[in-house]
Amino acid sequence: MTGIPAIRACSFVLMMTALTSFSAARADDLTFDLSPEQPGRIHVGRDETAVAAIPKDFKFVTPGTFTVAVAPGGPPLATYATDAKTVVGADPDIAYAIADSLGLKLELVPVAWIDWPLGLTSGKYDAVISNVGVTEQRKEKFDFSTYRQGLHGIYVKSDSKIGSIKEPKDAAGLRFIVGAGTNQERILLEWSKENVAAGLKPLELQYYDDDAASLLALASGRADVIVQPHAQLVYIAARDKNIKSVGTLSAGWPDRSDVAVTTRKGSGLANALTVAANDLIANGTYGKILDHWHLAEEALPKSETNPPGLPKY
């Protein structure tokens, strides 16, 4: 996951599972449709250019089907619907659109985040579409077709006087809630060092055991800002209606970091997926999917195969 090291993935998934359980009970209050029927899902026709890019010798796990692994970590990216068994969200919708483009049926396979690398290399599924960030280390074993920017959200209380945080100087002296050991923490520590070197106040970083404690700290004024994966905070803001965005932060700061469809290294499928994604971008389907899940800020201008990824730290 973008911004979340593997060693913390289990706790993140557990946290988001709890969040999802809570969200299902309040689905009627949200601006997100978490129903299993998904009447707003967009379908597209077969894309002959993308189909032609599939290697002649590539064998899908199930003939005529695009088998995709997804980790239901939480809305709006991927979560269990109100029936507690159907996986819905932005990533499943992207998977459906790509499957349509390739002229294939879609089979979504829910998996635990830590299981996707082994399952993909062993041939259990054709691809993973589950907020996987491109890294140089992962590129040694997998191929990537990008479909979103990897962003962290920067949020404050709705009545906060903080209007915008775009660079280190905007954050000087503020109290930030961040997860220990995350990529967000690494970036904020760098921001703090830059501020001190420039004669500005450092950032104060605060750590809490869970999501609820973090949000309570922000609401009570013990902290000024919370920084977490952007999609997660978009959903929380819609749910609670008491926090607002004041900026976003690339997971690869100071460089861009992208999220990608992940396939087996050297399988040859990545180029076809990149063609399909670019055609979805060009015909407007891609933008409609992201708009539907309130993730327009994460849109990419084009899909790329195996672009530069986050370096090994």
Side-chain angles (χ1 to χ4, degrees), residues 212-248:
S214 297
L215 294 172
L216 179 60
L218 186 66
S220 65
R222 295 199 301 273
D224 304 304
V225 189
I226 186 169
V227 179
Q228 289 182 5
H230 175 252
Q232 179 183 341
L233 287 175
V234 166
Y235 179 80
I236 291 173
R239 182 193 71 189
D240 296 347
K241 298 179 175 59
N242 62 359
I243 61 174
K244 66 179 181 180
S245 172
V246 292
T248 58

Side-chain angles (χ1 to χ4, degrees), residues 153-165 174-176 215 218-219 223-227 233 237 241-247:
I154 306 174
Y155 277 67
V156 298
K157 289 174 59 178
S158 294
D159 60 357
S160 173
K161 295 181 180 180
I162 299 171
S164 175
I165 298 178
L174 297 180
R175 300 166 296 172
F176 280 78
L215 294 172
L218 186 66
D224 304 304
V225 189
I226 186 169
V227 179
L233 287 175
K241 298 179 175 59
N242 62 359
I243 61 174
K244 66 179 181 180
S245 172
V246 292

Side-chain angles (χ1 to χ4, degrees), residues 95-288:
Y96 274 102
I98 291 177
D100 287 346
S101 297
L102 298 180
L104 302 170
K105 297 178 181 179
L106 177 69
E107 181 181 357
L108 284 178
V109 181
V111 299
W113 171 261
I114 59 173
D115 292 339
W116 74 256
L118 180 58
L120 184 57
T121 55
S122 64
K124 288 185 177 180
Y125 20 84
D126 303 307
V128 178
I129 303 181
S130 194
N131 201 38
V132 179
V134 182
T135 71
E136 289 303 310
Q137 184 171 4
R138 287 173 181 161
K139 281 168 62 179
E140 294 174 0
K141 296 183 178 181
F142 305 102
D143 286 331
F144 294 96
S145 303
T146 58
Y147 69 98
R148 279 201 344 266
Q149 291 186 64
L151 295 181
H152 301 315
I154 306 174
Y155 277 67
V156 298
K157 289 174 59 178
S158 294
D159 60 357
S160 173
K161 295 181 180 180
I162 299 171
S164 175
I165 298 178
K166 295 183 178 179
E167 54 186 327
K169 67 179 183 179
D170 299 331
L174 297 180
R175 300 166 296 172
F176 280 78
I177 298 170
V178 68
T182 62
N183 195 41
Q184 303 95 281
E185 181 194 37
R186 177 192 64 79
I187 295 169
L188 293 179
L189 288 173
E190 289 297 321
W191 277 27
S192 191
K193 289 178 183 178
E194 285 195 16
N195 282 340
V196 171
L200 301 174
K201 292 182 179 180
L203 281 62
E204 177 188 316
L205 303 190
Q206 299 181 8
Y207 306 92
Y208 295 91
D209 293 334
D210 55 43
D211 194 54
S214 297
L215 294 172
L216 179 60
L218 186 66
S220 65
R222 295 199 301 273
D224 304 304
V225 189
I226 186 169
V227 179
Q228 289 182 5
H230 175 252
Q232 179 183 341
L233 287 175
V234 166
Y235 179 80
I236 291 173
R239 182 193 71 189
D240 296 347
K241 298 179 175 59
N242 62 359
I243 61 174
K244 66 179 181 180
S245 172
V246 292
T248 58
L249 177 64
S250 170
W253 183 90
D255 301 315
R256 197 180 78 189
S257 174
D258 293 338
V259 172
V261 182
T262 309
T263 50
R264 289 185 294 279
K265 190 73 177 178
S267 71
L269 187 59
N271 287 333
L273 299 179
T274 300
V275 170
N278 276 320
D279 286 348
L280 291 171
I281 291 171
N283 66 31
T285 300
Y286 169 79
K288 290 178 182 178

